[in-house]
Amino acid sequence: MKAGELGGIVRGRDFRRLYATRLTSQLTDGVFQVALAGYVFFSPERQATAGKAAAAFAVTLLPYSALGPFAGVFIDRWQRRQILVWTPVLRAMVVLVVAALVASGQDGVGFFLTVLVVLGVNRFFLSALSAALPHVVRREQLVTANAFSVTSGTVIAFVGGGAGYLLRALFGGGQDGTALILAAGAGMYLAAGAIATLLPRGLLGPYPAEAEALAGRGPGSDAPRVRDALGAVLNGLSDGARHIARQRPAALALAAISFHRFMYGIILMMTLLLCRGHFSDDADEGLATLALMLGVSGAGYFAAAIVTPPVVRRISKQAWIALLLAAAAVGMLLLGLPFSEPAWLAGAFGLGVVSQGVKLCVDTTLQETIDDAYRGRVFSVYDMLFNTTFAASAAAAATWLPSDGVAPGTVLAVVAAYGVGAVLYRTASTRDPRPVPVHD
């Protein structure tokens, strides 16, 4: 990452405002997620199993991932600045409902449905951020801007996780303590929305003519009925899929990130079970170990942000993705099989580098090859794949992983899959290395 280029990006007033909105929201995400993890998986009165963990992943990820593309169509129609202002307000309101449910000791269907809304709105928010970024930086700055903003957003989420862990130690890990942490998180989401109001209303697109054209109406037409709007959503998704199909680099990038997320879901499920049943037999100590794992992984994300921009300038994004997938295979082989906490910690760092390095390359590839009028839909499809593959792999792993997470055969299978995936992606990406131009 070039210091001079980064300095030029950060000096942009509108970039700083967009960046501050991201940081505040993702810091709160970390607090929210640790509060929930502690309540659902690491409460002394609850015994976590692979099946329960997979059910939680499925309930909180799969349904809203299926609805994610619908959000993308509206991101291409509604003012993205308004999305960034109002989605944190909605999240704050729903988080307060979650807090009330936790305080009353509920963790059934209603609890998970409200969590589903919070996480679903978050993906809507993050998709809008990704679609908005090209409006506040120049195209040649996108790699560095992504590396800086996306990665530091992820790192700040880990910091938020640490803050959530400290709040848990302060307020307690029971129902009342978790409810207080969630109430604090609601206030932090409101702060993110307040920061977004500093951005000019029409800055982030889409512009009125584009939005009207996408909606299939003229400036003076009445708003379409709900049924017509849903039909427009489906038609828009079809258009977005055809647009992706015409952009080979984008299609391969989505395939690569989907494959990696499937593998990552298996590994994260193992990590959760290892922390709960192998590295420790105490719930609070297990949560502390998981927090340490996530913190080390966050350091890997930060390292990826530093090394990815200069590397891709030398060897291309496609080559870097292939190398990262191959590195994941080697790292899991050397560090996964001992099933010792120090080795698994080192592996968490390496997997953090791989995860964020691949994501940065994919984000930038999509931003470079997808027309602005389609970016919202494409990034929502991206989010759907990102989370659906993760949840599906967690659910699949739950059918065979033992309760303590120790599964040498699974580690070897992941190693083999990463190795094959690296070769297949590199072969496919070099068939036609020419970039596809974007028509703005």
Side-chain angles (χ1 to χ4, degrees), residues 78-432:
W78 297 342
Q79 290 293 314
R80 291 167 190 150
R81 183 261 198 184
Q82 296 302 94
I83 293 172
L84 297 180
V85 169
W86 289 107
T87 51
V89 175
L90 176 59
R91 295 187 79 192
M93 294 171 61
V94 181
V95 167
L96 289 176
V97 175
V98 176
L101 292 172
V102 169
S104 63
Q106 299 184 42
D107 59 357
V109 174
F111 170 80
F112 279 110
L113 285 176
T114 53
V115 172
L116 163 65
V117 173
V118 174
L119 296 176
V121 172
N122 185 45
R123 300 315 303 176
F124 195 86
F125 178 87
L126 293 177
S127 292
L129 281 174
S130 294
L133 186 62
H135 291 273
V136 297
V137 299
R138 297 192 304 271
R139 178 173 176 173
E140 63 270 18
Q141 297 175 324
L142 277 173
V143 172
T144 299
N146 272 318
F148 178 66
S149 61
V150 176
T151 302
S152 55
T154 303
V155 171
I156 205 67
F158 286 116
V159 173
Y165 180 74
L166 292 176
L167 289 173
R168 177 183 166 92
L170 178 64
F171 295 136
Q175 295 170 192
D176 292 341
T178 302
L180 287 173
I181 297 170
L182 291 172
M188 295 168 69
Y189 280 131
L190 289 176
I195 293 171
T197 63
L198 300 175
L199 288 159
R201 182 180 291 266
L203 173 69
L204 306 180
Y207 302 115
E210 295 174 344
E212 288 165 1
L214 284 168
R217 63 182 189 272
S221 301
D222 294 331
R225 294 174 300 175
V226 172
R227 184 173 62 183
D228 295 334
L230 290 176
V233 168
L234 295 175
N235 290 333
L237 289 176
S238 298
D239 290 340
R242 286 192 292 269
H243 189 73
I244 292 172
R246 292 192 296 267
Q247 306 292 341
R248 180 180 176 84
L252 288 174
L254 288 175
I257 195 70
S258 299
F259 165 76
H260 166 67
R261 287 292 289 179
F262 190 88
M263 295 296 105
Y264 185 75
I266 296 173
I267 297 168
L268 187 60
M269 175 65 76
M270 294 180 69
T271 302
L272 176 63
L273 296 173
L274 286 167
C275 290
R276 186 64 171 90
H278 181 65
F279 298 146
S280 172
D281 57 3
D282 177 76
D284 288 335
E285 185 178 341
L287 180 59
T289 302
L290 179 63
L292 179 60
M293 293 284 179
L294 295 177
V296 170
S297 183
Y301 277 60
F302 181 77
I306 295 174
V307 303
T308 294
V311 168
V312 299
R313 279 191 286 265
R314 290 177 176 271
I315 67 171
S316 83
K317 293 182 287 293
Q318 292 77 17
W320 184 228
I321 289 174
L323 283 175
L324 287 169
L325 296 177
V330 174
M332 285 300 299
L333 180 63
L334 297 178
L335 301 171
L337 286 177
F339 289 102
S340 68
E341 186 175 332
W344 207 263
L345 277 169
F349 175 84
L351 198 62
V353 174
V354 171
S355 297
Q356 192 67 354
V358 171
K359 188 177 189 304
L360 290 173
C361 292
V362 172
D363 286 358
T364 306
T365 298
L366 295 179
Q367 289 167 340
E368 290 177 342
T369 59
I370 300 300
D371 295 331
D372 183 62
Y374 290 89
R375 281 189 186 127
R377 278 162 288 177
V378 169
F379 272 96
S380 288
V381 173
Y382 174 18
D383 286 337
M384 179 191 71
L385 294 172
F386 192 85
N387 292 287
T388 300
T389 51
F390 172 80
S393 66
T399 64
W400 73 76
L401 284 176
S403 60
D404 63 357
V406 179
T410 299
V411 171
L412 291 175
V414 168
V415 168
Y418 266 126
V420 173
V423 172
L424 291 178
Y425 175 79
R426 185 56 180 159
T427 301
S429 64
T430 54
R431 287 178 183 172
D432 185 9

Side-chain angles (χ1 to χ4, degrees), residues 25-51:
S25 179
Q26 293 195 252
L27 176 71
T28 315
D29 292 344
V31 174
F32 178 75
Q33 290 164 7
V34 165
L36 290 181
Y39 179 67
V40 175
F41 299 121
F42 291 94
S43 294
E45 65 274 13
R46 292 178 174 85
Q47 291 299 316
T49 65

